[in-house]
Amino acid sequence: MLSDDQIDYLFQIKESKPPIPERTLRVMLKALRWSAEEIEHSLAFLKRPPREAAAAAPEPPRIYVPPPDESSLPLRRPISLKQKPFLGSPLTEISKQRQKRKHRRLTLAGAVLGALVFLAGLIIFARFAGVVHQG
């Protein structure tokens, strides 16, 4: 496998005019202490055609496939999409009204429960404090 530096070096060699013969390339790369495997990979890399030649390859023939008749397709039910209501939507207003009613109910229930707990606490306190006399 060639490193990025080696590939950059090979691109410089590939761009040289006139092209360097293979024997000279072997001697140059061996002098740079490249392994025999790296030299073989680099020579194969240099022999590859440029990308423009590969891009100019003929396109495969296109085959026309006619679309199917609509009468042969099975009937489908329409899809109903459920989305979150957007700002300013009437659905948003309805949900806000429901939240207000629920909030009022919970506030009233909390106030009543608080008053009952307060009265129960007063009665228990009065009983244990001896304020209320038993007869």
Side-chain angles (χ1 to χ4, degrees):
M1 190 72 188
L2 300 173
S3 69
D4 291 337
D5 294 332
Q6 290 173 330
I7 292 174
D8 290 339
Y9 183 70
L10 291 175
F11 274 127
Q12 291 174 3
I13 291 174
K14 196 172 193 175
E15 292 173 358
S16 65
K17 300 289 180 193
I20 303 172
E22 186 177 328
R23 276 185 82 175
T24 309
L25 281 174
R26 286 185 185 275
V27 172
M28 285 173 51
L29 298 177
K30 197 167 196 173
L32 291 172
R33 298 180 187 209
W34 287 18
S35 67
E37 182 181 331
E38 289 174 334
I39 293 172
E40 293 303 319
H41 282 295
S42 61
L43 292 175
F45 177 80
L46 291 172
K47 289 180 183 177
R48 285 195 294 174
R51 288 189 178 191
E52 294 81 27
E59 288 187 26
R62 295 184 182 183
I63 301 172
Y64 175 74
V65 178
D69 295 334
E70 290 184 19
S71 61
S72 66
L73 295 176
L75 296 176
R76 296 182 183 163
R77 288 184 280 159
I79 299 172
S80 62
L81 299 176
K82 295 183 179 182
Q83 298 177 349
K84 293 183 179 179
F86 53 89
L87 296 175
S89 168
L91 295 176
T92 307
E93 296 300 321
I94 292 171
S95 65
K96 284 182 181 178
Q97 290 173 357
R98 287 181 186 161
Q99 287 177 350
K100 282 182 182 179
R101 277 186 268 156
K102 188 175 182 179
H103 180 68
R104 283 187 207 146
R105 246 185 289 136
L106 290 175
T107 304
L108 182 62
V112 170
L113 183 64
L116 289 175
V117 169
F118 181 72
L119 287 174
L122 280 178
I123 293 171
I124 292 172
F125 176 74
R127 184 169 186 128
F128 287 114
V131 177
V132 178
H133 298 284
Q134 293 182 355

